Amino acid sequence: MIRSKKILTNAHHRRSIAASLVQGVYILERDRQENRQSANALASPWWEFFNFQLVHVLVDPDDLSFFGSIYELRLSHSSCNYLAQTPPRYVVAFRGTITKPGSRSQDLKLDLQFMKNKLQHSSRFHLGLQAVQNIVSKAGGASIWLAGHSLGSAIALLVGRNMVKLGYHLETYLFNPPFASLPLEKIKNEKLKHGARIAVSVITAGLAAAVKLNSQKPHQDDEFRVLSAWIPYLFVNASDPICSEYLGYFTHREKMMTIAGGKIGRIAAQNSIASIISTARGNKSEACHLLPSAYVTTNLGPCQDFKQAHGIHQWWRPDLHLEYKLHQYR
């Protein structure tokens, strides 16, 4: 059952595979919560259909929930020779928040940590990073994908950023990644929205200068430039308030680069007000959701409700109304 040969050369199918493997983590955790075992378990078809096997489950030590999975592709070397694009040997996938008893408390706690720019202190991030480092040391970075949805995409993003610092640019799929900011993208009046974004950028740049963030960290811009060579795939629904702010972030950043020689735009692009205030109080904080570069795929189709706009299920549908754009930091 090697359906993966042609599938992995197609952008839609690569997206579908990544989303399905993330869904596999969700169902693994639901299997655990419902005590579904052996023939009653429902998770395995989500990876077996694409000829992957589950090789390891990442377990949160605080609530024993399953938050991540490591999959290996069962594909012989000879059958990869004619692939137009190299398939992954391993995929490390992270689920998002489950609002059901069993993991809800810990998931919501981590959602709050993300909003405070403190997710990098969580055990899930450290366990995920260690798992990825172990695989990279064995298989190299070129054959590994990262994937995540919602909270899981925030973890995958953190892991990917840290791997860049180690010299590895992992292919990364981030579905409905949360953006820790006021949802300015939901403002309907374009002039009001643009004015609000300019105000936020000026305030952010001013606060950064006031606490001397950039003079204390003269290498910050260099770090952002190094990170810009890594271009993860972001999948955003325009109707989802949790992730849609990425659309405004990238578009506004390009506009701000034309103002005052781009200085305000560059500072604002690398900092958030929350991270500046936290750093000013003596607590080192990095706005890890801010990205220099990304391939952004936007679902512009109508959604009935928040669950549909934010759900992982939308990303394996073949009939989506999608818009694609590459954003690169210069």
Side-chain angles (χ1 to χ4, degrees), residues 19 21 170 252 308:
L21 295 181
L170 305 185
H252 177 68
Q308 186 179 27

Side-chain angles (χ1 to χ4, degrees), residues 27 104 178 191 302 314 316:
I27 305 303
R104 177 173 56 197
K191 289 185 177 180
Q314 66 189 290
W316 54 70

